[in-house]
Amino acid sequence: MKDDTLAVASQWKLVWWGFKRHRVALVCGFVTVAIYLVAVFAPFLAPGSGQKTNADYTYAPPQALHFDWDTGLYVNPYTFKQDPETLALSFEADESKKAPVGFFVKGEPYDLLGFIPWDRHLFGPENPDGPPMYLLGTDSVGRDLLSRIIRGTTVSMSIGLVGVLLSLVLGVVLGGVSGYVGGRTDTLIQRVIEIIMSIPTIPLWMALFAAVPASWSQLERYFALTVVISLVGWTGMAREVRGKFFAVRGEEYVMAATADGAGRLRIMFRHMLPSFTSHIIANLSLSIPTVILAETALSFIGLGLQTPMISWGVLLQEAQNIRAVSTAPWMLIPGVAVVVTVLAMNFFGDGLRDAADPYKH
Amino acid sequence: MLRYIGRRVLILIPTLAAISIVTFVVIQLPPGDYLTTLTAQRASQGDGVPTGEIARLTERYGLDKPVIVQYWQWISAILFHGDFGESFDYARPVSALLAERLPLTIALSLVTLVFIWAVSFPIGVYSAIRQYSVGDYTFTFFGYLGLAVPNFLIALVLMWVGLQFFDLNAGGILSPEYRDAPWSLAKLGDLAAHLWIPIVIWGTAGTAGNIRVLRANLLDELRKPYVVAARARGMPERKMTIMYPVRVAMNPFFSTIGWVLPGLIAADAITSKVLNLQTTGPLMLRALLAQDMYLAGAILLISAVLVVLGTLVSDIALGWLDPRVRLRY
Amino acid sequence: MEEPLLRIEGLRTHFFTSEGVLKAVDGVDLSVPAGKTVCLVGESGCGKSVTARSILQLVDKPGRIVGGSIRWNGATELATLDPAGEELRRVRGGEIGMIFQEPMASLSPMYTVGAQLSQALRLHRDLTKQEAREEGVALLRKVGIPNAEQRYDTYPFQLSGGMCQRVMIAIALCCDPALLIADEPTTALDVTTQARILDLMMDLRAQNDMAILFITHDLGVVAEVADEVAVMYLGRIVEHGTVEQIFSDPRHPYTRALLRSIPELRGSGARRRLTAIRGMVPSLRQVPAGCSFHTRCDHAVEGLCEVTPPPLRKYGEAHVASCHLDEVPAAPAAPAAPVLQVTERVAAETAAEPLLRVEGLAKHYPIGGGLFRKPSGVVRAVDGVDLTILPGQTVGLVGESGCGKTTLGRCVARLADPTAGRILYRTEQGDEVDLATVTGARLKDFRRQIRVIFQDPFSSLNPRMTLQQIVGEPLRTHGIASGGELRDRVADMLTRVGLRPEYMQRYPHAFSGGQRQRVNIARALITGPRLVVADEPVSALDVSVRAQILNLLTDLQEELGLTYLFISHDLSVVEHISDRVTVMYLGKVVEDADTADLYRQPRHPYTEALMHAVPVPDPARRRERHAFEIADDLPDPAAPPPGCRFHTRCAHVRAELCRTDVPELREYGERRSAACHHAAGLTLAGVGSVAREPQVDGRMAGRDA
Ligand SMILES: Nc1ncnc2c1ncn2[C@@H]1O[C@H](COP(=O)(O)OP(=O)(O)O)[C@@H](O)[C@H]1O
Ligand code: SF4
Ligand code: SF4
Ligand SMILES: [Mg+2]
């Protein structure tokens, strides 16, 4: 029985079986999917838009979430305390009061998936006009960090995906041409790749992005960033594709396909491509974290996206100087989001890569 | 071997030419030319640019001539006079600015390279030989962590921890009291105390990557028939491992030369900025933000050239190490 | 009884994999007496290699010795020694040497062969660097490496496989071991190289008075080298005896079946079917109960064999076999029992017009070269070849690896573009078309009529396509059939090549090498071709499976009226399937004749050498061929020797002409030609036409008949 299922198992099934065996990679795969879901449903999942400033609550520290049977989930509202000597304000939890936290509460309106207007949020303070809830604290102008991180997921994750998809297209086309045509075309493309690769990535990104006019809109900057990232990033993908092409081209079954009378395109797409799609996907999933890191770094130094657009890099930009960090260490929390995401995607991608060729012995 | 090196060097020339063109394009990218930027900047500061100055600069960069000529004037000045142009932001020659910062940068890079090698070699070999042991899992996890955490974040956290718990200022390269002091043992000690932080930070990603590659390569090599054959002829395990599979798996070490050195010249601008180091990175960053393109371009060019040279060195090292590479040409 | 050098008792080595425990070796008893050669035979996957590796504790990770003892020299217990300990290390290499199947991969590419050799020397002997070098060069000379001084400083990848195996032997011999374990040392090599390596090993054994444990799947090789033979099947020894006993009085049906499946040179010239073993070695995950061979045994006794494991029976001094057969009275032969088939195939009538005429065909490959560089030379892989194939015939194309056989085959199938020459193919309408100039849609049309069977059963099938997709692909690309019709035709074709049509949805990874080769054949034949180029279709297969595939090819030829161009490096295989044989050497045809004529008396010294490289499966005639050995390896095809290309290795080379003038292909008698200056004056040895018929002794014949 078992032998029979194995016998008729397609490549994808074998890859999946191999992948399943890596427990860590499997868990990280779920984490990755979860993060992308957060990115898609961010406006609903976040308690607020993350754009609402509140001058009374600058650098408010994170609140603890409590639970008792009478009120359910609640937070203790902030009280202000002034240091009698330095006159500096500090926040404290007012344990005598409870601000209940509910699910599917009304809050700031938004467009789910960009076109469904709605105003419910997964969770938030039950009384929208009552004391605010800042589970991860606030920034220098009193914006809710939790909402901002969740909202930032959309931009950070989509830049990763879009940037990598763009480099994928470039890389697969040029790498494929290089590998399939071979000869001089191949040598030429390889030289170009070598040259691009010899210019250090981040400075090149910085230099290219520095050329983006400051007058461009947020959306334009966003696309400029993905284009810049993929302009530099396609080389790795192209090399990978070309390498695979060469390896597969030497297999007898490709020659057999010629003997079968298959045309060039059919050989390429029916016979050769399937043998490295799994590698390409693994490679993709390993490139996305790189792009996320690049966006974070560029935005961090102010060469990438800028407020009011929210991305993890933009959020970290506010933690740029050590003074801000020491007064409000929670400003580093977006970094945790970056690390967790990148870590999960790396483990996931590695597991995928190991499983990508189920036919090697 | 000589033929191999010769071929490598020959390939270098068109590559370098292409790199210089790319750099020039980058310099030209921001809207407007050098003069308009300069005039705009001076104007914002409230003073104009004297006409004589304008004429001199137009002549110097060939701004009224076709782009090709501009490129030639730029590159020939670099090639024949070591003149990278002028930074209007600092109002000084680019080469002078570089001369101040390059030595420290290169020294840091070299130390980092040594750090990466010293740490990743034993760990990589250990992880492969004791695959799936507790140690292997631990190192692997830290390796992934090192790759996942952006360098500037490590820098920030380290500085925060230093400040918060040890009342230390981890930034800079020397404590304030030594900054102008003559060189002494104490100053050297202070230097070392400050330097390890950037080195560790820069080293993490490289170390993690190296460990990963070394481990994977070595695992592949350990399954090769020649390992069994060597065992079968009675080679002691340790000697066998070092002599045969490890030597093959070492290759990635040599490719690190290619990118670690030049990478730091510019790549870690961000960390350097956080740590307040006087390296070329922050210089480039500031130049880019101010669109001081001759300065930025010079740094980009130098780091790219260093990548190419580094790759050459690593290729030669590889050829020396691996007869298959050497004898193929 | 004297204590043997090595005594293995009840050895069990299991692999603890995620799919369960694989009992690769499950109770092996085997001993190797001092100075003797013991052969361990069996098909691939029977546990021979694992047994050999267990001796030196070289079994890789999930594998572990779980029981039994391995006594060395009557004193040391190897099975329980610390694998990393000093004691075992002294035995490895010092007292027991070992060589492997893939000689090139068994040497590290990072060091010169000399470095590895001297290192091995200094591991066990107290030598200075200089002494080690001298000793090493002497050893290289001893194992027959020409120019030992220079070769000492070359890297393994600069040497041929045969040379690397010699180096491995030198390394194994460096400390005068009492036992040499050779794990399929010649399987990856050409027949000619195999012959030389075998001779070398036998000579060294005599000189050094060492014992050899020789592992192989080829009984022909066994007859050449063995004193004693142990036959292994699924982790157990099923028969053990002296080489004479095994060859003249085999007791176990598995041994007999193996013996019958050897294609041997007979010199009769007529094509004949071989007798193959049914099916294939079962997976270790499902070892059959009772006698593990009962699933393939023609004599299995119902109700006994599949229930009770057979005991070991003694048949004479040192001759044992484990089979139930002698416990039960000889039953009347089962009606379906296959008759030993002696169908001689009469060559097709030769009056017809040739189906294919190749004239002056050449294919040159540039070497080196790049974007800015000129190619540094050219390899003349095929260099002016003429070849004629009559319809319905099989032409065998023979020569060592690197002689250009594959290139020629690919040019004929237009998978490579010839540099010069004509490939005249007679269409069904009777007119001749020069395939060398056909392109585009017309070429595609010919791709239907001329098909190829590829060599490598693994790389020639796309692992990501099902059998239906693989076999049906030509139907689809030529628009012959699709949908249900395609499925029916594929199912029909699979049945013809002996595969169950239900397998259609399976992927190649579910099949063994032999089955994959059947798929390969099905793919080639599904378009109803007229000419099939079979490129070494059985070289990668075990001897037992080889017979199955050769028979299948013959049957299909008769059924479908096919014409074959059959490529092989092994003359014994070619004899069984060819009507005519063309011998190639370094891109040129050196001899061309009808099969019978060629084997009876070759006209070219190269043919003679090839013929006598084939091991003779008769221990009584071992080493007869010793006299015909050819020297050295194939010269570099990029720089072939001047004059007669074979003169560097020819046993009959003469002072006049050979080194200076290129011999033309000349006619010698009817329909045969040779390219040798002295062909007329030479009397070359063919194969004695009274070769031994397969042993079918009375008792077994009774059961068979
Ligand atoms: N590393 C391994 N893991 C799992 N099974 C193995 C391993 N090595 C060998 N085997 C199993 O042991 C069996 C015997 O292998 P081997 O000794 O190589 O056979 P032979 O030498 O007779 O061809 C095979 O069926 C194979 O599946
Ligand atoms: S025991 Fe039975 S099945 Fe096994 S070999 Fe003997 S006759 Fe065949
Ligand atoms: S021509 Fe001379 S060298 Fe060539 S095969 Fe004949 S005898 Fe040998
Ligand atoms: Mg084996």
Side-chain angles (χ1 to χ4, degrees):
Chain A
M1 206 295 285
K2 180 152 186 298
D3 268 355
D4 282 357
T5 38
L6 182 70
V8 297
S10 70
Q11 150 170 234
W12 300 111
K13 224 174 235 161
L14 293 174
V15 169
W16 169 238
W17 288 345
F19 178 73
K20 255 195 328 194
R21 243 179 269 145
H22 294 256
R23 281 294 141 77
V24 182
L26 191 66
V27 171
C28 287
F30 286 124
V31 172
T32 307
V33 171
I35 294 172
Y36 268 106
L37 285 178
V38 170
V40 171
F41 298 105
F44 167 69
L45 296 173
S49 69
Q51 304 287 18
K52 206 167 74 181
T53 58
N54 192 337
D56 292 339
Y57 292 94
T58 58
Y59 288 135
Q63 281 171 319
L65 201 56
H66 300 278
F67 178 82
D68 71 27
W69 290 106
D70 302 330
T71 28
L73 284 173
Y74 66 92
V75 292
N76 299 123
Y78 293 103
T79 58
F80 303 95
K81 224 177 104 184
Q82 195 162 35
D83 191 301
E85 279 164 40
T86 61
L87 300 178
L89 268 180
S90 68
F91 294 92
E92 270 186 8
D94 180 357
E95 309 213 340
S96 62
K97 291 189 200 132
K98 293 174 180 179
V101 172
F103 289 97
F104 300 102
V105 293
K106 262 191 194 307
E108 291 171 73
Y110 57 89
D111 290 335
L112 192 62
L113 301 177
F115 62 92
I116 309 170
W118 211 19
D119 60 359
R120 294 277 170 185
H121 294 261
L122 178 65
F123 66 101
E126 260 170 24
N127 175 11
D129 304 319
M133 175 191 85
Y134 299 127
L135 291 183
L136 293 183
T138 64
D139 65 6
S140 54
V141 286
R143 290 177 294 204
D144 177 26
L145 195 58
L146 176 64
S147 301
R148 288 175 72 76
I149 291 177
I150 296 180
R151 285 304 192 87
T153 314
T154 315
V155 171
S156 288
M157 297 304 284
S158 69
I159 277 203
L161 202 62
V162 176
V164 166
L165 285 181
L166 273 179
S167 12
L168 174 76
V169 173
L170 268 173
V172 168
V173 169
L174 286 168
V177 167
S178 198
Y180 192 73
V181 179
R184 291 188 170 218
T185 319
D186 172 45
T187 320
L188 200 71
I189 294 179
Q190 288 315 302
R191 283 282 159 288
V192 171
I193 289 180
E194 251 166 52
I195 289 162
I196 297 183
M197 279 193 153
S198 67
I199 303 178
T201 325
I202 292 190
L204 187 57
W205 274 332
M206 297 194 324
L208 287 176
F209 205 70
V212 170
S215 56
W216 282 18
S217 75
Q218 288 304 317
L219 206 61
E220 283 168 330
R221 290 186 80 83
Y222 175 88
F223 282 111
L225 191 63
T226 54
V227 168
V228 163
I229 285 177
S230 53
L231 268 184
V232 178
W234 65 274
T235 51
M237 187 66 74
R239 283 214 155 168
E240 173 92 5
V241 171
R242 169 182 176 270
K244 288 288 167 218
F245 244 105
F246 271 106
V248 174
R249 211 168 56 161
E251 299 277 348
E252 264 183 359
Y253 63 76
V254 174
M255 184 171 283
T258 316
D260 287 346
R264 278 194 155 210
L265 284 180
R266 188 170 171 84
I267 291 179
M268 199 156 156
F269 288 103
R270 182 74 189 86
H271 295 265
M272 295 177 74
L273 207 61
S275 39
F276 46 84
T277 33
S278 56
H279 294 272
I280 290 179
I281 292 173
N283 200 306
L284 271 186
S285 62
L286 283 173
S287 312
I288 293 177
T290 329
V291 176
I292 293 176
L293 284 179
E295 183 275 328
T296 312
L298 285 181
S299 301
F300 176 76
I301 49 170
L303 277 174
L305 304 173
Q306 279 157 7
T307 40
M309 196 167 232
I310 309 175
S311 77
W312 292 339
V314 171
L315 295 183
L316 281 172
Q317 199 186 350
E318 294 177 24
Q320 214 184 46
N321 62 58
I322 190 69
R323 242 166 299 118
V325 174
S326 52
T327 36
W330 53 91
M331 297 304 291
L332 286 175
I333 297 179
V336 177
V338 174
V339 172
V340 168
T341 309
V342 172
L343 208 55
M345 294 200 74
N346 269 333
F347 271 113
F348 169 65
D350 257 13
L352 212 54
R353 189 180 53 191
D354 287 350
D357 187 358
Y359 305 106
K360 68 166 184 260
H361 301 290
Chain B
M1 189 71 191
L2 276 178
R3 255 188 82 192
Y4 170 76
I5 297 178
R7 260 182 54 74
R8 290 276 115 179
V9 173
L10 233 80
I11 293 180
L12 223 65
I13 295 166
T15 312
L16 288 177
I19 286 176
S20 71
I21 294 173
V22 174
T23 313
F24 187 70
V25 169
V26 168
I27 292 179
Q28 301 295 319
L29 266 184
D33 62 22
Y34 182 72
L35 270 187
T36 40
T37 326
L38 182 66
T39 331
Q41 209 220 359
R42 291 281 164 84
S44 70
Q45 289 165 1
D47 34 76
V49 185
T51 15
E53 179 80 352
I54 292 184
R56 189 184 68 80
L57 290 171
T58 311
E59 166 69 20
R60 160 70 185 79
Y61 298 114
L63 293 178
D64 51 351
K65 306 211 178 81
V67 182
I68 295 278
V69 179
Q70 290 186 30
Y71 167 72
W72 175 246
Q73 291 204 352
W74 173 72
I75 193 72
S76 59
I78 293 175
L79 278 182
F80 304 128
H81 310 291
D83 175 6
F84 287 86
E86 239 167 85
S87 155
F88 64 75
D89 193 14
Y90 292 86
R92 291 177 58 194
V94 169
S95 43
L97 284 168
L98 289 181
E100 275 170 18
R101 297 200 173 208
L102 263 179
L104 175 68
T105 315
I106 291 182
L108 275 179
S109 311
L110 285 176
V111 180
T112 309
L113 186 67
V114 172
F115 172 83
I116 290 179
W117 281 3
V119 176
S120 57
F121 180 76
I123 295 183
V125 173
Y126 173 89
S127 281
I129 290 177
R130 299 256 179 285
Q131 195 190 3
Y132 303 139
S133 66
V134 177
D136 175 29
Y137 279 123
T138 317
F139 287 131
T140 308
F141 179 75
F142 276 106
Y144 275 102
L145 205 62
L147 283 179
V149 187
N151 282 352
F152 66 84
L153 205 60
I154 306 183
L156 268 178
V157 171
L158 275 185
M159 285 183 54
W160 178 63
V161 169
L163 202 64
Q164 200 72 14
F165 301 102
F166 304 102
D167 197 25
L168 261 177
N169 187 357
I173 177 158
L174 285 170
S175 306
E177 63 266 31
Y178 288 109
R179 215 150 276 167
D180 297 313
W183 282 103
S184 65
L185 265 180
K187 183 171 173 175
L188 219 56
D190 183 66
L191 183 72
H194 277 86
L195 273 191
W196 72 266
I197 295 178
I199 289 170
V200 167
I201 291 172
W202 283 326
T204 43
T207 309
N210 250 4
I211 291 177
R212 220 155 78 148
V213 179
L214 181 62
R215 177 177 180 274
N217 280 7
L218 190 52
L219 280 175
D220 276 350
E221 287 303 318
L222 283 170
R223 287 188 207 111
K224 297 262 170 85
Y226 68 77
V227 172
V228 182
R231 250 180 228 142
R233 72 181 82 121
M235 286 261 280
E237 195 67 24
R238 183 182 301 255
K239 187 171 174 186
M240 189 276 296
T241 316
I242 299 288
M243 267 194 79
Y244 294 119
V246 170
R247 217 186 121 176
V248 184
M250 279 271 287
N251 290 1
F253 273 82
F254 290 87
S255 13
T256 27
I257 308 177
W259 54 264
V260 165
L261 272 179
L264 293 188
I265 305 275
D268 242 10
I270 308 162
T271 313
S272 300
K273 187 176 173 216
V274 171
L275 287 178
N276 187 22
L277 292 177
Q278 302 298 305
T279 57
T280 47
L283 196 64
M284 168 152 188
L285 192 60
R286 186 169 154 191
L288 282 174
L289 286 170
Q291 304 217 323
D292 184 359
M293 291 317 280
Y294 282 107
L295 178 54
I299 300 177
L300 192 60
L301 182 70
I302 289 178
S303 52
V305 168
L306 281 176
V307 175
V308 173
L309 293 181
T311 314
L312 176 73
V313 172
S314 67
D315 278 355
I316 290 175
L318 250 174
W320 166 73
L321 181 88
D322 190 338
R324 289 169 303 180
V325 176
R326 182 185 344 138
L327 295 170
R328 201 173 304 141
Y329 296 99
Chain C
M1 199 179 116
E2 200 190 329
E3 178 68 21
L5 192 60
L6 176 77
R7 182 200 288 281
I8 301 174
E9 273 171 345
L11 178 69
R12 290 187 298 131
T13 305
H14 297 176
F15 286 90
F16 297 86
T17 68
S18 50
E19 282 115 53
V21 180
L22 299 183
K23 301 179 177 175
V25 175
D26 200 24
V28 160
D29 299 317
L30 183 72
S31 46
V32 183
K36 297 278 188 211
T37 303
V38 176
C39 274
L40 192 56
V41 222
E43 290 162 283
S44 296
C46 281
K48 308 181 300 288
S49 298
V50 176
T51 308
R53 289 183 177 209
S54 299
I55 297 172
L56 291 178
Q57 292 208 26
L58 292 171
V59 184
D60 276 330
K61 255 265 175 69
R64 213 168 62 224
I65 299 179
V66 293
S69 80
I70 304 171
R71 291 191 79 70
W72 171 243
N73 248 336
T76 323
E77 174 56 54
L78 294 181
T80 52
L81 282 185
D82 170 16
E86 194 56 24
E87 227 176 327
L88 185 64
R89 210 176 64 70
R90 255 203 313 278
V91 176
R92 289 177 178 177
E95 297 169 31
I96 302 179
M98 187 157 179
I99 58 178
F100 300 86
Q101 176 168 350
E102 291 168 27
M104 196 164 313
S106 300
L107 289 162
S108 164
M110 306 297 275
Y111 296 87
T112 60
V113 296
Q116 299 183 52
L117 180 54
S118 70
Q119 214 216 359
L121 277 165
R122 297 181 62 200
L123 261 175
H124 298 280
R125 284 162 61 179
D126 198 15
L127 296 176
T128 64
K129 277 221 162 85
Q130 190 52 37
E131 286 167 348
R133 186 184 171 95
E134 281 159 21
E135 185 82 352
V137 172
L139 268 170
L140 289 185
R141 237 179 248 128
K142 187 169 167 185
V143 295
I145 292 185
N147 299 332
E149 279 282 351
Q150 282 109 45
R151 292 286 165 87
Y152 188 87
D153 293 314
T154 51
Y155 289 91
F157 53 87
Q158 296 174 304
L159 298 176
S160 67
M163 283 299 152
C164 283
Q165 195 59 288
R166 283 173 196 264
V167 173
M168 283 304 289
I169 294 175
I171 291 178
L173 290 184
C174 67
C175 303
D176 270 321
L179 171 68
L180 176 67
I181 301 175
D183 186 358
E184 309 238 17
T186 59
T187 305
L189 306 174
D190 257 25
V191 202
T192 46
T193 317
Q194 158 168 304
R196 293 195 299 275
I197 296 287
L198 290 182
D199 285 340
L200 170 71
M201 289 179 67
M202 289 306 100
D203 291 343
L204 291 171
R205 188 191 70 132
Q207 285 168 29
N208 291 21
D209 188 31
M210 84 189 156
I212 297 181
L213 176 60
F214 194 105
I215 292 164
T216 177
H217 65 104
D218 186 345
L219 274 170
V221 172
V222 173
E224 293 275 333
V225 299
D227 295 313
E228 288 176 23
V229 182
V231 182
M232 191 161 182
Y233 190 72
L234 280 185
R236 291 213 176 84
I237 304 288
V238 295
E239 181 161 7
H240 184 264
T242 64
V243 68
E244 291 80 14
Q245 286 164 339
I246 295 292
F247 276 79
S248 62
D249 185 23
R251 285 296 167 169
H252 198 282
Y254 183 54
T255 315
R256 290 160 190 266
L258 282 178
L259 274 170
R260 278 188 309 227
S261 60
I262 318 171
E264 58 178 302
L265 287 171
R266 294 163 303 123
S268 73
R271 294 171 52 176
R272 200 179 66 186
R273 290 180 62 79
L274 293 155
T275 316
I277 315 180
R278 282 194 274 132
M280 52 174 186
V281 184
S283 147
L284 277 184
R285 262 175 287 148
Q286 304 156 333
V287 177
C291 170
S292 53
F293 187 56
H294 82 253
T295 50
R296 305 169 73 197
C297 181
D298 286 333
H299 308 280
V301 183
E302 222 175 298
L304 178 63
C305 292
E306 71 269 27
V307 186
T308 324
L312 214 56
R313 262 171 172 280
K314 224 170 147 70
Y315 290 92
E317 170 121 35
H319 188 184
V320 290
S322 67
C323 173
H324 287 303
L325 262 198
D326 288 301
E327 298 163 18
V328 292
V339 182
L340 191 68
Q341 290 159 24
V342 199
T343 353
E344 308 247 327
R345 190 177 175 280
V346 185
E349 210 25 68
T350 49
E353 301 264 23
L355 178 68
L356 187 82
R357 279 197 301 137
V358 172
E359 285 178 358
L361 190 75
K363 172 74 189 173
H364 299 173
Y365 289 110
I367 40 183
L371 189 56
F372 305 115
R373 278 182 308 155
K374 284 225 165 58
S376 55
V378 353
V379 176
R380 295 167 195 275
V382 177
D383 198 15
V385 164
D386 298 335
L387 185 76
T388 304
I389 306 180
L390 297 179
Q393 269 198 342
T394 303
V395 170
L397 187 61
V398 204
E400 290 162 286
S401 305
C403 277
K405 309 180 299 288
T406 298
T407 312
L408 177 59
R410 288 192 177 163
C411 285
V412 167
R414 276 305 302 278
L415 292 172
D417 296 329
T419 314
R422 303 203 295 166
I423 305 167
L424 299 168
Y425 170 77
R426 191 171 303 275
T427 61
E428 269 157 311
Q429 289 73 38
D431 38 342
E432 281 195 326
V433 180
D434 184 2
L435 291 182
T437 58
V438 170
T439 51
R442 279 192 72 208
L443 179 61
K444 186 171 162 185
D445 192 44
F446 287 113
R447 292 205 187 288
R448 230 168 80 191
Q449 307 178 29
I450 303 179
R451 303 284 296 155
V452 184
I453 300 171
F454 290 90
Q455 168 173 5
D456 184 344
F458 290 89
S459 113
S460 59
L461 302 181
N462 192 335
R464 289 164 183 84
M465 290 163 85
T466 61
L467 292 206
Q468 180 184 334
Q469 289 165 332
I470 292 172
V471 178
E473 176 74 3
L475 295 181
R476 203 183 295 270
T477 57
H478 291 291
I480 300 173
S482 62
E485 197 199 338
L486 183 136
R487 219 169 302 125
D488 291 344
R489 289 181 72 154
V490 171
D492 177 55
M493 199 64 231
L494 288 180
T495 320
R496 274 174 191 251
V497 299
L499 291 172
R500 303 229 301 270
E502 302 92 87
Y503 289 172
M504 219 157 36
Q505 297 310 326
R506 296 193 170 190
Y507 287 85
H509 64 248
F511 299 95
S512 68
Q515 287 174 316
R516 281 160 171 259
Q517 222 44 342
R518 289 177 192 266
V519 178
N520 228 325
I521 293 172
R523 169 173 61 188
L525 301 187
I526 195 150
T527 58
R530 298 173 67 215
L531 174 65
V532 175
V533 178
D535 187 358
E536 304 249 17
V538 296
S539 302
L541 306 176
D542 260 25
V543 174
S544 56
V545 186
R546 229 177 251 186
Q548 294 176 350
I549 299 295
L550 287 176
N551 287 345
L552 176 68
L553 284 172
T554 309
D555 293 346
L556 290 168
Q557 181 170 39
E558 253 154 50
E559 238 177 281
L560 307 171
L562 299 170
T563 307
Y564 287 145
L565 175 60
F566 186 95
I567 300 173
S568 176
H569 66 258
D570 186 340
L571 269 172
S572 67
V573 171
V574 170
E575 185 185 14
H576 282 265
I577 194 157
S578 308
D579 302 301
R580 270 184 82 76
V581 178
T582 301
V583 184
M584 256 183 106
Y585 186 71
L586 285 182
K588 285 195 179 295
V589 172
V590 295
E591 183 163 7
D592 187 23
D594 281 346
T595 311
D597 299 338
L598 185 96
Y599 283 81
R600 203 171 303 125
Q601 210 209 349
R603 283 284 180 188
H604 195 281
Y606 183 55
T607 316
E608 182 192 45
L610 279 182
M611 204 172 283
H612 292 279
V614 178
V616 186
D618 179 357
R621 288 173 49 209
R622 78 167 45 160
R623 312 202 74 184
E624 264 181 20
R625 57 174 176 74
H626 212 46
F628 303 100
E629 189 174 297
I630 48 173
D632 210 349
D633 284 311
L634 199 66
D636 178 7
C644 172
R645 289 186 175 179
F646 188 53
H647 84 249
T648 50
R649 306 165 74 196
C650 179
H652 306 277
V653 59
R654 296 192 191 165
E656 69 266 35
L657 298 172
C658 291
R659 292 189 177 81
T660 50
D661 291 37
V662 179
E664 293 300 319
L665 200 60
R666 270 191 295 257
E667 300 266 332
Y668 291 94
E670 202 193 330
R671 292 195 298 130
R672 68 177 305 181
S673 47
C676 169
H677 293 301
H678 309 292
L682 290 172
T683 316
L684 302 176
V687 183
S689 41
V690 279
R692 195 185 57 93
E693 291 298 313
Q695 293 291 324
V696 186
D697 70 275
R699 193 184 57 90
M700 192 59 98
R703 287 174 193 275
D704 273 339

